[in-house]
Amino acid sequence: MSTILDDFMKKLIIQIPCWNEELNIAKTLQLIPKKFEGIDSVELLIIDDGSTDDTETVVDRLIGEMPGAVSYVRQANKGAYGARNTGLDHATGTYVAFFDSDDLWLPHHLARCMAGLQAHPELDWVFGSCTRVEHATGRVVDENVFYVDGTPRPFLSLRTRRDGDLRIFDDPSGTECQILHGFFCGLQNSVIHRRIFDGRRFHEQYRVCEDELFLIRVLADGARLAYYLEPHVIYRMHELNSSVSGVGQVDDKTLAIFRELVDGFEELLREVPLTARDRRAARRRLSREYFWHLGYHGLLPAGRRAEALLAYRQGIKAWPWDWGLWKTYVTTALRPSSRGAQA
């Protein structure tokens, strides 16, 4: 009996949130692999976030065609993170993957991440890189988002220990690096051990930045991560993407993302017991979000100069030791029609 129970508990739960997907849910489910090599037990958990169309009927018809067990949970509309939290409340397996219909998992993604987690029981989170493409044309924008024009992103310089192609973080400055630069491990390119969510859920008031903030919170709490350098996911960019990467200009949606990041880091500083080093990093990041993103790149080009100057002052308050901020603030204040030059 214990062997059967252990095998059941080790299954992978794939979460699929949906809302009014009557016309698209069949195509979304077709993107889920038909075979899961190296994974013994898989359950698809479809969370209907308050659809008002015929999504449920379509899902009922498709369930028999899907690999493994399929569960359908319906709730009142709560948004993407609310749907993910509901999925976590119903998840019974050991590992969780979050599927987004915007993206494509490459065939090795799940098996590779699961192999890393199972070979190293101390790990909580394993991820691979993404390739970014234009949804409409298929044009590759970034072959591997872990690099910028061939230059490795800062997290790749953190100390790791190797197990084949798997790189396991072994560096006390990991949380600081995630705060200032990011690990580029969104939910869509990760497989996560279920224990990470014990007594913890996503903050539902955030619509976009919660992936990033959630990772900071769990790192501060001692989470262990590892990664593969190679792309595991095709991230498809279009105008409906919820992140900044999906938009090409400053608009109300982009401003909302900038404000959400400001609110998120304010909350992080209030509520998370960071080390002194990580707290300094969080204040620098908050300053950057207020000053350069919300103020300089958001409000000022939108013609909202008074609000931009207020954001500048908030940024300086968070990290007053950057003289470039003071210079740009004074330049903007004295020349109302000028954006000022970023120092």
Side-chain angles (χ1 to χ4, degrees):
M1 179 64 72
S2 60
T3 301
I4 296 174
L5 179 60
D6 289 344
D7 289 343
F8 172 74
M9 290 302 293
K10 287 182 179 178
K11 71 182 176 185
L12 171 68
I13 301 291
I14 299 176
Q15 272 204 39
I16 308 170
C18 65
W19 178 76
N20 284 354
E21 292 287 339
E22 174 187 353
L23 301 179
N24 299 314
I25 189 65
K27 185 180 298 184
T28 296
L29 294 178
Q30 287 172 1
L31 298 175
I32 302 292
K34 299 301 181 187
K35 293 175 61 180
F36 300 95
E37 295 183 5
I39 305 174
D40 295 331
S41 181
V42 177
E43 181 178 349
L44 306 183
L45 186 55
I46 302 171
I47 310 300
D48 187 333
D49 192 36
S51 294
T52 57
D53 64 0
D54 214 19
T55 295
E56 184 172 5
T57 301
V58 175
V59 170
D60 282 343
R61 188 180 73 245
L62 294 170
I63 280 178
E65 305 171 10
M66 298 305 299
V70 182
S71 298
Y72 177 85
V73 179
R74 183 177 172 84
Q75 66 174 24
N77 183 262
K78 295 182 179 180
Y81 289 111
R84 290 173 180 133
N85 282 341
T86 297
L88 290 168
D89 292 342
H90 287 79
T92 57
T94 303
Y95 309 103
V96 183
F98 298 88
F99 185 77
D100 188 332
S101 61
D102 288 343
D103 306 322
L104 296 172
W105 281 341
L106 293 175
H108 54 268
H109 170 57
L110 294 176
R112 227 174 168 211
C113 289
M114 289 281 288
L117 286 164
Q118 292 177 331
H120 298 275
E122 77 278 10
L123 289 178
D124 302 294
W125 190 312
V126 174
F127 62 101
S129 186
C130 294
T131 296
R132 292 200 305 163
V133 303
E134 287 183 346
H135 190 286
T137 66
R139 182 179 70 88
V140 176
V141 178
D142 288 308
E143 189 69 40
N144 187 324
V145 299
F146 286 178
Y147 300 85
V148 180
D149 296 327
T151 301
R153 293 195 184 270
F155 80 89
L156 294 180
S157 66
L158 292 174
R159 187 175 67 241
T160 61
R161 56 186 175 90
R162 296 280 298 272
D163 180 5
D165 292 334
L166 184 69
R167 291 163 168 82
I168 302 168
F169 286 114
D170 186 21
D171 195 315
S173 60
T175 305
E176 178 187 25
C177 185
Q178 165 63 12
I179 291 169
L180 291 175
H181 308 292
F183 282 0
F184 290 79
C185 57
L187 298 178
Q188 76 274 19
N189 57 314
S190 303
V191 178
I192 304 171
H193 200 292
R194 178 64 178 75
R195 63 178 171 239
I196 276 289
F197 303 102
D198 291 345
R200 180 187 287 116
R201 290 292 183 269
F202 297 113
H203 290 202
E204 296 179 9
Q205 72 270 29
Y206 300 125
R207 311 295 289 187
V208 175
C209 72
E210 176 60 7
D211 289 24
E212 180 177 1
L213 297 169
F214 182 84
L215 181 54
I216 295 170
R217 290 193 289 268
V218 300
L219 282 169
D221 200 30
R224 299 294 308 277
L225 276 72
Y227 66 93
Y228 296 98
L229 276 176
E230 299 77 17
H232 278 208
V233 174
I234 305 297
Y235 180 88
R236 299 187 291 185
M237 299 169 56
H238 55 77
E239 67 277 6
L240 298 180
N241 285 133
S242 60
S243 64
V244 176
S245 63
V247 296
Q249 68 284 326
V250 175
D251 53 17
D252 288 344
K253 177 181 174 181
T254 312
L255 279 173
I257 294 172
F258 291 157
R259 292 188 186 279
E260 185 173 296
L261 281 163
V262 163
D263 292 343
F265 278 95
E266 289 274 22
E267 180 184 56
L268 197 73
L269 282 161
R270 287 194 306 270
E271 298 184 359
V272 178
L274 299 169
T275 66
R277 180 175 177 173
D278 294 339
R279 190 169 185 82
R280 286 193 298 271
R283 295 193 68 83
R284 288 174 60 194
R285 176 64 186 277
L286 177 62
S287 174
R288 188 170 80 202
E289 296 302 332
Y290 264 125
F291 198 101
W292 295 120
H293 291 163
L294 180 58
Y296 186 85
H297 289 295
L299 294 166
L300 198 61
R304 298 160 67 170
R305 177 177 172 276
E307 294 174 78
L309 287 172
L310 176 60
Y312 281 9
R313 291 193 291 272
Q314 292 294 100
I316 291 171
K317 179 181 177 182
W319 192 256
W321 300 279
D322 186 338
W323 298 114
L325 304 186
W326 291 94
K327 178 181 176 181
T328 303
Y329 173 75
V330 170
T331 302
T332 304
L334 292 178
R335 293 191 295 175
S337 62
S338 172
R339 285 181 57 174
Q342 181 171 347

Coordinates of all heavy atoms in Angstrom, one line a residue, residues 243-278:
S243 N 3.0 40.6 -20.1 CA 4.2 41.2 -19.5 C 4.7 42.3 -20.4 O 4.2 42.5 -21.6 CB 5.3 40.1 -19.4 OG 5.6 39.6 -20.7
V244 N 5.7 43.0 -19.9 CA 6.3 44.2 -20.7 C 6.9 43.7 -22.0 O 6.8 44.4 -23.0 CB 7.4 44.9 -19.9 CG1 8.1 46.0 -20.7 CG2 6.8 45.5 -18.6
S245 N 7.3 42.5 -22.1 CA 8.0 42.0 -23.3 C 7.0 41.9 -24.5 O 7.4 41.8 -25.6 CB 8.6 40.6 -23.1 OG 7.6 39.6 -22.7
G246 N 5.7 41.9 -24.2 CA 4.7 41.8 -25.2 C 4.2 43.1 -25.8 O 3.4 43.1 -26.7
V247 N 4.8 44.2 -25.3 CA 4.3 45.5 -25.8 C 5.5 46.3 -26.3 O 6.6 46.1 -26.0 CB 3.6 46.3 -24.7 CG1 2.4 45.6 -24.2 CG2 4.6 46.6 -23.5
G248 N 5.2 47.2 -27.3 CA 6.3 47.9 -27.9 C 6.3 49.4 -27.6 O 7.2 50.1 -28.0
Q249 N 5.4 49.9 -26.8 CA 5.4 51.3 -26.5 C 4.8 51.5 -25.1 O 4.2 50.6 -24.6 CB 4.6 52.1 -27.5 CG 3.1 51.8 -27.5 CD 2.7 50.5 -28.2 OE1 3.4 50.1 -29.2 NE2 1.7 49.9 -27.7
V250 N 4.9 52.7 -24.5 CA 4.3 53.0 -23.2 C 2.9 53.3 -23.4 O 2.5 54.2 -24.1 CB 5.1 54.2 -22.6 CG1 4.4 54.5 -21.2 CG2 6.5 53.8 -22.3
D251 N 2.0 52.5 -22.8 CA 0.6 52.8 -22.8 C 0.0 52.5 -21.4 O 0.8 52.3 -20.5 CB -0.1 51.9 -23.9 CG 0.2 50.4 -23.7 OD1 0.7 50.0 -22.6 OD2 0.0 49.6 -24.6
D252 N -1.3 52.5 -21.2 CA -1.8 52.3 -19.9 C -1.5 51.0 -19.3 O -1.3 50.8 -18.1 CB -3.4 52.5 -20.0 CG -3.8 53.9 -20.2 OD1 -2.9 54.8 -19.9 OD2 -4.9 54.2 -20.5
K253 N -1.4 50.0 -20.2 CA -1.1 48.6 -19.8 C 0.4 48.6 -19.2 O 0.6 48.0 -18.2 CB -1.2 47.6 -20.9 CG -0.8 46.2 -20.6 CD -1.0 45.3 -21.8 CE -0.5 43.9 -21.6 NZ -0.7 43.1 -22.8
T254 N 1.3 49.2 -20.0 CA 2.7 49.2 -19.5 C 2.8 50.0 -18.2 O 3.5 49.6 -17.3 CB 3.6 49.9 -20.6 OG1 3.3 49.3 -21.9 CG2 5.0 49.6 -20.3
L255 N 2.1 51.1 -18.1 CA 2.2 51.9 -16.9 C 1.7 51.1 -15.7 O 2.2 51.2 -14.6 CB 1.4 53.2 -17.0 CG 2.0 54.4 -17.7 CD1 1.0 55.5 -18.0 CD2 3.2 54.9 -16.9
A256 N 0.6 50.3 -15.9 CA 0.1 49.5 -14.9 C 1.1 48.5 -14.4 O 1.2 48.2 -13.2 CB -1.2 48.8 -15.3
I257 N 1.9 47.9 -15.3 CA 2.9 47.0 -15.0 C 4.0 47.7 -14.1 O 4.5 47.1 -13.1 CB 3.6 46.3 -16.2 CG1 2.5 45.5 -16.9 CG2 4.8 45.5 -15.9 CD1 3.0 44.9 -18.3
F258 N 4.4 48.9 -14.5 CA 5.4 49.6 -13.8 C 4.9 49.9 -12.4 O 5.6 49.8 -11.4 CB 5.7 50.9 -14.5 CG 6.5 50.8 -15.8 CD1 6.4 51.8 -16.8 CD2 7.2 49.7 -16.1 CE1 7.1 51.7 -17.9 CE2 7.9 49.5 -17.3 CZ 7.9 50.5 -18.2
R259 N 3.6 50.3 -12.2 CA 3.1 50.6 -10.9 C 3.0 49.3 -10.1 O 3.2 49.3 -8.8 CB 1.7 51.2 -11.0 CG 1.7 52.6 -11.6 CD 0.3 53.2 -11.6 NE 0.3 54.5 -12.2 CZ 0.7 55.7 -11.7 NH1 1.2 55.7 -10.5 NH2 0.6 56.8 -12.4
E260 N 2.7 48.2 -10.7 CA 2.6 46.9 -10.0 C 4.0 46.5 -9.4 O 4.1 46.1 -8.3 CB 2.1 45.9 -10.9 CG 1.8 44.5 -10.2 CD 1.1 43.5 -11.2 OE1 0.0 43.8 -11.6 OE2 1.8 42.5 -11.5
L261 N 5.0 46.8 -10.2 CA 6.4 46.4 -9.7 C 6.7 47.3 -8.5 O 7.3 46.9 -7.5 CB 7.4 46.6 -10.8 CG 7.4 45.4 -11.8 CD1 8.1 45.8 -13.1 CD2 8.1 44.2 -11.2
V262 N 6.4 48.6 -8.6 CA 6.6 49.5 -7.5 C 5.9 49.0 -6.2 O 6.5 48.9 -5.1 CB 6.2 50.9 -7.8 CG1 6.0 51.8 -6.6 CG2 7.2 51.6 -8.8
D263 N 4.6 48.7 -6.4 CA 3.8 48.2 -5.2 C 4.4 46.9 -4.7 O 4.4 46.7 -3.5 CB 2.4 48.0 -5.6 CG 1.7 49.3 -5.9 OD1 2.2 50.4 -5.5 OD2 0.6 49.3 -6.6
G264 N 4.8 46.0 -5.6 CA 5.3 44.7 -5.2 C 6.6 44.9 -4.4 O 6.8 44.2 -3.4
F265 N 7.5 45.7 -4.8 CA 8.8 45.9 -4.0 C 8.6 46.7 -2.7 O 9.3 46.4 -1.7 CB 9.9 46.5 -4.9 CG 10.5 45.4 -5.8 CD1 10.1 45.2 -7.1 CD2 11.5 44.6 -5.3 CE1 10.7 44.2 -7.9 CE2 12.1 43.7 -6.1 CZ 11.7 43.5 -7.4
E266 N 7.6 47.6 -2.7 CA 7.3 48.2 -1.4 C 6.8 47.2 -0.5 O 7.2 47.2 0.7 CB 6.2 49.3 -1.7 CG 6.6 50.5 -2.4 CD 7.2 51.6 -1.5 OE1 7.6 51.2 -0.4 OE2 7.2 52.7 -1.9
E267 N 5.9 46.3 -0.9 CA 5.4 45.2 -0.1 C 6.5 44.3 0.4 O 6.5 43.8 1.6 CB 4.3 44.5 -0.8 CG 3.6 43.3 0.1 CD 2.6 42.5 -0.7 OE1 3.0 42.0 -1.8 OE2 1.5 42.4 -0.3
L268 N 7.4 43.9 -0.5 CA 8.5 43.0 -0.2 C 9.3 43.6 0.9 O 9.6 42.9 1.9 CB 9.3 42.9 -1.5 CG 10.3 41.7 -1.5 CD1 9.5 40.4 -1.7 CD2 11.3 41.9 -2.6
L269 N 9.6 44.9 0.9 CA 10.4 45.5 1.9 C 9.7 45.5 3.3 O 10.3 45.5 4.3 CB 10.8 46.9 1.5 CG 12.0 47.0 0.5 CD1 12.0 48.3 -0.2 CD2 13.3 46.7 1.2
R270 N 8.4 45.6 3.2 CA 7.6 45.7 4.5 C 7.4 44.3 5.1 O 7.4 44.2 6.3 CB 6.2 46.2 4.2 CG 6.1 47.7 3.9 CD 4.6 48.2 4.0 NE 3.7 47.4 3.2 CZ 3.4 47.7 1.9 NH1 4.0 48.8 1.4 NH2 2.6 47.0 1.2
E271 N 7.3 43.2 4.3 CA 6.8 42.0 4.8 C 7.8 40.8 4.8 O 7.6 39.9 5.6 CB 5.6 41.5 4.0 CG 4.4 42.5 4.1 CD 3.2 42.0 3.4 OE1 3.2 40.9 2.8 OE2 2.2 42.7 3.4
V272 N 8.9 40.9 4.0 CA 9.8 39.8 3.9 C 11.0 40.0 4.7 O 11.7 41.1 4.6 CB 10.2 39.5 2.4 CG1 11.2 38.4 2.3 CG2 8.9 39.2 1.6
P273 N 11.4 39.1 5.6 CA 12.6 39.3 6.4 C 13.9 39.0 5.6 O 14.5 38.0 5.7 CB 12.4 38.2 7.5 CG 11.6 37.1 6.9 CD 10.7 37.8 5.9
L274 N 14.3 40.1 4.9 CA 15.5 40.0 4.1 C 16.8 40.2 4.9 O 16.7 40.9 5.9 CB 15.4 41.0 2.9 CG 14.3 40.9 2.0 CD1 14.2 42.2 1.1 CD2 14.4 39.7 1.1
T275 N 17.9 39.7 4.4 CA 19.2 40.0 5.1 C 19.5 41.5 4.8 O 18.9 42.1 3.9 CB 20.3 39.2 4.5 OG1 20.5 39.5 3.1 CG2 20.0 37.7 4.7
A276 N 20.4 42.1 5.5 CA 20.8 43.5 5.3 C 21.2 43.7 3.8 O 20.9 44.7 3.2 CB 21.9 43.9 6.2
R277 N 22.0 42.8 3.3 CA 22.5 42.9 1.9 C 21.3 42.8 0.9 O 21.3 43.6 0.0 CB 23.5 41.7 1.6 CG 24.1 41.7 0.3 CD 25.1 40.6 0.2 NE 25.7 40.5 -1.2 CZ 26.7 39.7 -1.5 NH1 27.3 39.0 -0.6 NH2 27.1 39.7 -2.7
D278 N 20.4 41.9 1.1 CA 19.3 41.7 0.2 C 18.3 42.9 0.4 O 17.7 43.3 -0.6 CB 18.5 40.4 0.5 CG 19.4 39.2 0.2 OD1 20.4 39.4 -0.6 OD2 19.1 38.1 0.7

